[in-house]
Amino acid sequence: MQNKINQLRSKKEEALLGGGQKRIDSQHSKGKLTARERIELLLDEGSMEEFGMLVTHRTYDFGMEEQIFYGDGVITAFGTIYNRLVYVYAQDFTVFGGSLSETHAEKICKLMDLAMRNGAPVIGLNDSGGARIQEGVRSLAGYADIFYRNVRASGVIPQISAIMGPCAGGAVYSPAITDFIIMVEHSSYMFVTGPNVVKTVTNEEISSESLGGAHTHASKSGVTQLTAANDYECIQSVKKLLTYLPQNCEVTPEAIHYELADETLLGIESIIPESAMQPYDIKHIIEKIIDVDSFFEIHEEYAENIVVGFARLAGKSIGIVANQPMVLAGCLDVNASKKAARFVRTCDCFNIPLLVLEDVPGFLPGSDQEWNGIISNGAKLLYAFSEATVPRITLITRKAYGGAYDVMNSKHIGSDFNYAWPSAEIAVMGAKGATEIIFKKEIDSANDPAQALLDKEKEYAEKFANPYHAAARGFIDEVIEPSQTRIKLIKAFSSLQNKVDNLPRKKHGNIPL
Ligand code: HXC
């Protein structure tokens, strides 16, 4: 027996070395951790339980029978993060460049099936040269098996993808279907076709970094939600992100114990400028309202005119969607609508209540916006809010104009509580624009048109540039003093914690994608 145990030990020791020390050194020389080091950093100490360690490929072409590495380029394991069960796979670049073979794919599929059956998140650490070239269509089939599972698991368990090396070709579509993608700066890239193909087909010369590096996807394409400076930071971000999410769609995220104290927010009103034309940073308001240092921003560099992210309020996880007056005056445009709609749906499928902070002058006008489909993209946000069944609260800090008022989680589309500060202006449009349209004749024929415009503007502002018209109709539940915001929100969310709201029976809705 001892001989057999020794044989097992020697096989496992060989597996621990992946593609061998030389390739491990090469991985380190690029500033990257190995797959095994990444998993160990991710999981609670001593909690990693690897399975499929002795799996090998089944390829006998191109001399592959001479190159057998245990694990076949991917490590699959379960373990815990802050004592919560997770399933994790990490592609091992030291084995055939982490390329995906039939057996490599089978390991990932087995892991995903287990995660689904046991209602636990899946975390994929990607670092791969793509399809195992020696295997042809068997590799492509393996990818499709994974994509299919990604889709089936979507909305059931959280799926997080970390891109920590190459991720190219069709391989990008597994991360693309998951809930969150985080990329490591300078050592990872994602693209469907790389710089060489781009040069051949379009004659454009572009580096991998600019075509599909972390910054590109965070700010230009919006494909990724988070970036990290290095592997270590990436793993820490994944762990933090997970703390805001539940294990699966049947439960709520774990709350941190919180004792109510004096929740008065002194001085918060001074953030809003006297003039409605002046910008201010909505993140200053977010920071004051939520639990200290609990804001975890998502999609920070993309469509900065809207801010989305997770936070805690009295220890409970919430999702925040907030117009940002600092950028494009907080207008809704194509990208902001897509960004916010995606976030709203992410929160809704994982039972995370939504808080909307509204200061929106309307949709961004222009041919660029119209031609890029502001109609169907704006509709995505309207749709996402309308179908969300989680507790939903809106606070209007200043402007709530036009169609954007309806879209930003208004009472009319199912919000549970709508609050406004006394500084709120809820109207079809700003006073100046409105006056110029409805009093045009009177102003033009006045002895002093400039003064007439000012008078009419004042009249309009007094009537509509406030929250009281909306409050009188019940469209606003309460006009609150800014200092009371935190306690009001804590109490309101607490009252909604057992909310039940079911959508009409259907196969699925048809969101304007
Ligand atoms: C098999 C691969 C491989 C692959 C890399 N290797 N990619 N083996 N299939 N796809 C092996 C190399 O032979 C090498 O083996 C080791 O991995 C490391 O690769 P290097 O080239 O030495 O590393 P590096 O210089 O860092 O370059 C990494 C790379 C490059 C940029 C990823 O290897 C590369 O371009 N690979 C091919 C990428 C590709 O075209 N993949 C298919 C895309 S199409 P040794 O033995 O020397 O260590 C696709 C379709 C998916 O993925 C479709 C899904 C629907």
Side-chain angles (χ1 to χ4, degrees):
M1 182 64 175
Q2 194 53 47
N3 279 351
K4 292 190 173 174
I5 292 174
N6 290 344
Q7 184 192 30
L8 169 67
R9 285 182 183 163
S10 112
K11 279 178 186 291
K12 287 195 169 177
E13 268 164 35
E14 197 180 325
L16 291 180
L17 275 180
Q21 194 58 47
K22 219 170 126 203
R23 294 189 181 96
I24 291 175
D25 294 343
S26 160
Q27 178 86 345
H28 286 156
S29 71
K30 293 177 196 157
K32 291 158 69 177
L33 298 173
T34 63
R36 202 164 284 284
E37 289 163 345
R38 287 167 175 165
I39 295 193
E40 275 164 10
L41 200 58
L42 180 70
L43 297 177
D44 294 340
E45 207 180 330
S47 74
M48 176 183 173
E49 288 296 324
E50 184 172 352
F51 52 93
M53 193 185 207
L54 301 181
V55 165
T56 53
H57 68 70
R58 301 190 276 261
T59 306
Y60 298 96
D61 302 313
F62 310 111
M64 287 294 278
E65 64 278 14
E66 307 293 330
Q67 303 179 65
I68 303 287
F69 298 95
Y70 287 129
D72 203 26
V74 65
I75 298 172
T76 45
F78 68 87
T80 58
I81 294 179
Y82 303 131
N83 294 320
R84 283 169 53 187
L85 175 69
V86 295
Y87 288 82
V88 55
Y89 71 84
Q91 291 178 314
D92 183 351
F93 195 79
T94 69
V95 175
F96 303 114
S99 57
L100 187 131
S101 65
E102 185 179 21
T103 44
H104 177 130
E106 281 168 5
K107 285 180 71 175
I108 296 176
C109 289
K110 186 198 269 185
L111 176 130
M112 295 183 72
D113 292 343
L114 276 165
M116 279 284 275
R117 283 203 294 271
N118 294 290
V122 168
I123 300 160
L125 309 180
N126 296 259
D127 188 357
S128 166
R132 177 85 49 88
I133 295 167
Q134 296 90 335
E135 294 205 5
V137 71
R138 285 186 284 134
S139 167
L140 303 185
Y143 272 117
D145 288 338
I146 295 170
F147 301 157
Y148 177 74
R149 282 168 175 77
N150 286 134
V151 174
R152 292 290 164 127
S154 180
V156 181
I157 49 172
Q159 301 181 78
I160 301 173
S161 303
I163 314 298
M164 309 179 82
C167 182
V172 297
Y173 287 112
S174 170
I177 297 165
T178 63
D179 301 299
F180 299 94
I181 305 181
I182 175 166
M183 284 184 80
V184 180
E185 285 165 18
H186 309 299
S187 60
S188 73
Y189 53 81
M190 289 180 87
F191 36 66
V192 173
T193 45
N196 291 343
V197 178
V198 170
K199 166 89 177 124
T200 310
V201 177
T202 69
N203 216 22
E204 181 190 1
E205 287 200 35
I206 188 161
S207 67
S208 290
E209 187 66 23
S210 70
L211 185 64
H215 181 64
T216 297
H217 285 307
S219 62
K220 287 193 165 72
S221 70
V223 163
T224 61
Q225 285 80 8
L226 296 159
T227 55
N230 50 45
D231 281 17
Y232 181 81
E233 204 181 288
C234 174
I235 298 289
Q236 297 312 317
S237 279
V238 170
K239 291 172 74 162
K240 187 164 183 193
L241 171 60
L242 211 60
T243 65
Y244 296 93
L245 306 174
Q247 284 296 88
N248 57 62
C249 65
E250 302 291 345
V251 292
T252 50
E254 253 175 51
I256 294 172
H257 179 73
Y258 182 84
E259 293 278 342
L260 273 188
D262 177 4
E263 307 292 352
T264 312
L265 300 175
L266 293 176
I268 189 172
E269 63 281 358
S270 64
I271 298 173
I272 306 282
E274 283 302 321
S275 159
M277 307 302 283
Q278 269 187 309
Y280 64 93
D281 190 346
I282 195 68
K283 290 186 199 173
H284 292 158
I285 291 187
I286 293 174
E287 291 293 349
K288 281 204 175 274
I289 292 175
I290 60 171
D291 297 356
V292 178
D293 288 338
S294 69
F295 191 47
F296 188 76
E297 192 169 351
I298 301 292
H299 258 146
E300 188 175 353
E301 293 176 59
Y302 183 75
E304 292 168 74
N305 42 327
I306 203 151
V307 174
V308 304
F310 299 109
R312 284 203 179 74
L313 190 68
K316 291 185 182 134
S317 185
I318 58 168
I320 294 181
V321 179
N323 306 115
Q324 173 56 290
M326 295 274 283
V327 181
L328 294 174
C331 267
L332 284 178
D333 63 356
V334 168
N335 291 350
S337 302
K338 285 195 290 191
K339 166 177 163 176
R342 168 82 177 163
F343 185 73
V344 167
R345 300 192 98 219
T346 302
C347 290
D348 189 47
C349 66
F350 292 124
N351 307 319
I352 301 171
L354 283 161
L355 171 63
V356 174
L357 300 180
E358 179 170 0
D359 186 348
V360 62
F363 282 96
L364 185 66
S367 55
D368 174 66
Q369 287 294 308
E370 296 296 346
W371 295 344
N372 280 296
I374 187 61
I375 297 174
S376 43
N377 286 293
K380 283 178 189 155
L381 183 55
L382 174 60
Y383 191 113
F385 273 128
S386 300
E387 77 168 349
T389 56
V390 286
R392 292 194 260 148
I393 297 179
T394 297
L395 168 68
I396 301 175
T397 57
R398 197 170 58 175
K399 296 170 198 161
Y401 291 166
Y405 156 75
D406 282 344
V407 170
M408 287 299 290
N409 198 37
S410 63
K411 195 88 188 154
H412 324 282
I413 60 169
S415 171
D416 297 293
F417 286 112
N418 292 63
Y419 297 113
W421 282 356
S423 47
E425 299 179 8
I426 307 169
V428 174
M429 59 176 75
K432 187 163 185 292
T435 309
E436 283 168 353
I437 296 169
I438 57 179
F439 299 118
K440 188 174 185 314
K441 280 191 194 136
E442 282 170 75
I443 292 167
D444 287 350
S445 60
N447 290 337
D448 183 351
Q451 188 56 47
L453 175 65
L454 282 178
D455 291 344
K456 287 292 179 194
E457 208 178 307
K458 191 159 171 271
E459 189 185 324
Y460 186 89
E462 270 163 20
K463 190 154 179 62
F464 289 120
N466 61 61
Y468 300 110
H469 205 61
R473 302 301 301 257
F475 302 156
I476 293 295
D477 296 295
E478 194 179 348
V479 182
I480 60 172
E481 292 195 24
S483 65
Q484 297 306 300
T485 303
R486 186 172 152 83
I487 190 67
K488 287 276 176 194
L489 293 176
I490 291 173
K491 286 184 178 175
F493 274 123
S494 172
S495 76
L496 297 169
Q497 65 187 350
N498 296 322
K499 176 182 173 185
V500 177
D501 181 13
N502 293 315
L503 295 175
R505 210 186 83 75
K506 61 176 107 174
K507 190 167 177 199
H508 60 73
N510 198 6
I511 189 166
L513 294 172

